[in-house]
Amino acid sequence: MQCDNIINTLAPCLVQSGWNGDLANFASIFLGVIILATFPLLVTIVLIWFERKFAARIQDRLGPNRVGPFGLLQPFADVIKLLGKEDITPAGADKLIYNIAPVMMVMSVLLIWAVVPLSPIHVGMDLEIGALYIISVASFGTLSVIFASWSSNNKYALLGAFRVVAQLISYEVPLALSLLIPVMLAGSMSLVDITQAQAGMWFIFVAPLSAILFFISSQAETGRAPFDLLEAESELVAGFNIEYSGMKFALFFAGEFMHVFTNGVLMAVLFAGGYIGFGGLENSIPLLGIVFLFLKASVFYMLSLLIRNAIPRVRIDQLMNFNWKFLVPVSIVNVVMMAFLLKVVQALGIAPTPELANDFVANIPQTLVLFAGNVVLGLLVMNTVSSRIRKERLQESANRAIVPMGAGD
Amino acid sequence: MEILNQWAFIGMFFLLAPILPAVPILLAAVISPKKPNAIKQATYECGVETVGDTWVQFKVQYYLYGLIFLIFDVEMVFLFPWALAYKQLDFFAFLAGLLFIFLLSDALVYAWRKKVLEWV
């Protein structure tokens, strides 16, 4: 029996053992959802520990090391502590929205996992519009941050809300534009098909520029350093979650940690071949697919941790300029270039035929052309930007030279 | 039936996904101490009482960004089917897509020139 999702495996078995068909369907869906939604939450517990250790190492500290071996039980101790903390709701807050916001934050990330192919047979649901679904679900996160900051009735939170509107909305544009490329290359929006299309060649080699654009904008979508303007500690105290305490506050952070890892998983699925390992090993032992996926995801995850800890926060005007004057134009040009090169490749007849699509060698000519195009565009963009910046600097220093010091007084 | 199952799964996910994070909140509501008082529940400010209305209007700048975002979001929705079928289409599809993208990046250039993208 071909098993491509959880429903198909459990429901027939239940019917065989004498269950009503609809009831069996319902039970299998219910169980599948519970397992799939609890999974990322459990992973998050480890991630919290890992992130704290990682940040500590970068800052030349030890990090959590008291509770359990290597401080591994620290997250559990934190949860127990947070459960006992008083939950304070500010008097002026909009209670309903205020309480919904943290739940929505976690939910927005959990929902992404519904379509992520963990291994050839472990898929929540292979939606045909998976890529579009991810974008639409991710905007729940934006909404939850707006909910939280607006309903808190706090000036700092309100400033956070302003920035959310500007930042999270803007960075969705390059995110979705760079998501177009894997869809274009795979000819499908289903994440399973996108993964399968990379059996021959990972998309990160075919379209490195889109991978970089996707990575940067997804980093901005999580609202973490260097893009953590919505909760800039030194400016807004805590930004959008300032009025939250106890478990609700913790959920915002759980959502954030989970979001970062989920972005790593999405990067792995869209650009690094998802569960595909070497030698078709994941087909014979499906559980290895999960291992491969998580290994790839943790590479991107650690990269984003590194960025978070190494790069200082940008200013709001730099942030908006970076998006609208750099990322968006570049991703538009990138889409056009990829579309053009794909047609060129087809015209030249070096595109792999559908039968050979999973063959590594058959993919090499196409990949070389597309990769070269990406590199040329990347160099061109960097050259334009640097020459423009140099011009601006020269202009600035020229202005300074004309006006002597103190002449303006 | 298959497609119905697909969306039943997503529907169930939408129903259950908020419950999982809600459980710790409810648990905390049962366990945690509750001793509210006026000062504790006051809106946080840097030491003084908060003055004036918090729920003020957004500056018009944010609406402009919102509008540009809306244009691009709609553009993307139209581009996805194009990208989906792109490999099977002939060269004309590229020109059609190019025209469509050009018209919209035109809007971006216009906004740029009009100094909408300058943060003030």
Side-chain angles (χ1 to χ4, degrees):
Chain A
M1 190 173 67
Q2 180 65 35
C3 321
D4 54 4
N5 55 48
I6 294 167
I7 294 175
N8 288 6
T9 52
L10 185 62
C13 307
L14 285 177
V15 172
Q16 257 176 18
S17 56
W19 281 49
N20 179 310
D22 289 337
L23 196 66
N25 253 348
F26 177 80
S28 68
I29 291 176
F30 187 82
L31 217 71
V33 169
I34 293 284
I35 292 170
L36 202 62
T38 322
F39 184 60
L41 286 171
L42 292 177
V43 173
T44 309
I45 293 175
V46 185
L47 290 183
I48 292 172
W49 171 82
F50 181 78
E51 167 134 14
R52 289 178 65 179
K53 268 297 201 205
F54 195 92
R57 278 298 162 195
I58 287 180
Q59 295 158 4
D60 202 9
R61 295 184 283 119
L62 284 175
N65 64 349
R66 294 283 151 178
V67 195
F70 309 108
L72 259 171
L73 297 177
Q74 186 69 47
F76 297 97
D78 286 345
V79 169
I80 293 167
K81 182 198 76 176
L82 282 161
L83 277 174
K85 287 284 175 190
E86 183 172 358
D87 183 30
I88 304 161
T89 310
D94 188 335
K95 296 247 163 26
L96 178 67
I97 308 284
Y98 177 86
N99 288 321
I100 286 176
V103 175
M104 228 161 118
M105 182 81 169
V106 177
M107 179 182 151
S108 74
V109 187
L110 280 183
L111 284 171
I112 293 178
W113 286 77
V115 294
V116 172
L118 297 171
S119 85
I121 64 161
H122 299 99
V123 189
M125 182 47 66
D126 178 19
L127 271 193
E128 276 170 30
I129 53 157
L132 206 57
Y133 171 85
I134 288 174
I135 299 179
S136 52
V137 162
S139 27
F140 269 109
T142 313
L143 210 57
S144 87
V145 179
I146 295 177
F147 273 16
S149 40
W150 188 255
S151 67
S152 297
N153 196 14
N154 181 302
K155 297 278 187 340
Y156 291 113
L158 182 80
L159 285 170
F162 286 158
R163 291 173 173 197
V164 174
V165 173
Q167 176 187 341
L168 294 190
I169 273 184
S170 301
Y171 277 81
E172 250 171 60
V173 176
L175 187 83
L177 278 174
S178 49
L179 198 57
L180 273 176
I181 305 297
V183 171
M184 199 186 272
L185 287 168
S188 168
M189 281 200 266
S190 140
L191 291 192
V192 174
D193 290 349
I194 290 178
T195 309
Q196 287 297 346
Q198 297 174 69
M201 183 67 79
W202 294 358
F203 287 164
I204 197 166
F205 300 119
V206 187
L209 214 54
S210 335
I212 295 169
L213 289 170
F214 186 85
F215 185 74
I216 294 174
S217 37
S218 63
Q219 177 85 5
E221 280 287 304
T222 54
R224 309 231 301 177
F227 304 108
D228 61 341
L229 283 148
L230 38 148
E231 48 180 314
E233 291 90 347
S234 47
E235 301 163 22
L236 305 181
V237 190
F240 70 94
N241 56 25
I242 189 166
E243 288 287 7
Y244 284 86
S245 56
M247 211 58 217
K248 287 177 199 158
F249 177 76
L251 279 179
F252 274 118
F253 274 86
E256 190 185 302
F257 285 117
M258 211 153 60
H259 197 169
V260 180
F261 189 70
T262 310
N263 278 338
V265 170
L266 283 182
M267 271 299 286
V269 168
L270 293 168
F271 293 102
Y275 53 71
I276 290 168
F278 43 87
L281 215 59
E282 72 283 350
N283 287 322
S284 41
I285 315 166
L287 275 179
L288 266 183
I290 303 183
V291 175
F292 287 141
L293 178 68
F294 272 49
L295 278 179
K296 289 169 187 174
S298 33
V299 170
F300 293 114
Y301 174 68
M302 278 196 261
L303 196 61
S304 64
L305 287 193
L306 208 60
I307 290 174
R308 187 210 179 184
N309 285 299
I311 301 182
R313 185 183 305 136
V314 293
R315 230 166 43 208
I316 183 96
D317 60 325
Q318 292 168 338
L319 178 95
M320 299 308 283
N321 282 349
F322 181 61
N323 181 60
W324 288 109
K325 297 182 179 176
F326 182 76
L327 287 182
V328 172
V330 170
S331 43
I332 289 174
V333 175
N334 183 38
V335 168
V336 173
M337 184 205 63
M338 287 301 284
F340 179 69
L341 283 183
L342 271 177
K343 280 291 165 238
V344 167
V345 164
Q346 275 183 1
L348 288 177
I350 52 173
T353 50
E355 304 88 64
L356 286 173
N358 289 350
D359 187 46
F360 176 69
V361 180
N363 269 295
I364 288 178
Q366 181 194 13
T367 308
L368 280 179
V369 173
L370 294 174
F371 187 83
N374 270 281
V375 169
V376 168
L377 180 60
L379 289 178
L380 222 66
V381 165
M382 293 326 281
N383 198 27
T384 318
V385 170
S386 67
S387 73
R388 189 176 169 148
I389 287 174
R390 198 177 302 127
K391 211 181 283 169
E392 265 173 26
R393 282 220 185 104
L394 283 176
Q395 187 75 38
E396 224 168 74
S397 56
N399 287 348
R400 222 177 286 136
I402 291 164
V403 184
M405 282 248 284
D409 300 335
Chain B
M1 193 58 207
E2 179 57 30
I3 194 121
L4 202 68
N5 263 347
Q6 279 196 0
W7 288 102
F9 184 85
I10 299 296
M12 188 77 90
F13 221 113
F14 266 84
L15 288 179
L16 287 177
I19 292 178
L20 285 174
V23 166
I25 289 186
L26 293 177
L27 203 64
V30 176
I31 295 175
S32 64
K34 280 172 262 321
K35 288 179 187 142
N37 66 48
I39 291 175
K40 199 188 277 178
Q41 287 190 302
T43 302
Y44 174 78
E45 194 84 45
C46 49
V48 292
E49 274 180 39
T50 180
V51 180
D53 196 9
T54 309
W55 289 328
V56 294
Q57 263 188 334
F58 276 50
K59 215 170 72 174
V60 78
Q61 175 117 40
Y62 296 99
Y63 289 92
L64 295 178
Y65 276 113
L67 281 174
I68 309 175
F69 162 73
L70 199 65
I71 295 168
F72 275 95
D73 223 27
V74 175
E75 174 189 1
M76 252 114 57
V77 173
F78 283 117
L79 275 177
F80 266 103
W82 172 75
L84 192 63
Y86 187 72
K87 273 192 164 175
Q88 285 124 49
L89 302 172
D90 53 6
F91 193 72
F92 177 73
F94 170 69
L95 294 179
L98 188 66
L99 182 68
F100 185 71
I101 293 171
F102 172 74
L103 285 175
L104 281 149
S105 27
D106 190 41
L108 180 69
V109 173
Y110 178 75
W112 195 333
R113 279 295 174 86
K114 279 278 174 188
K115 305 228 184 300
V116 172
L117 303 180
E118 304 296 321
W119 188 266
V120 282

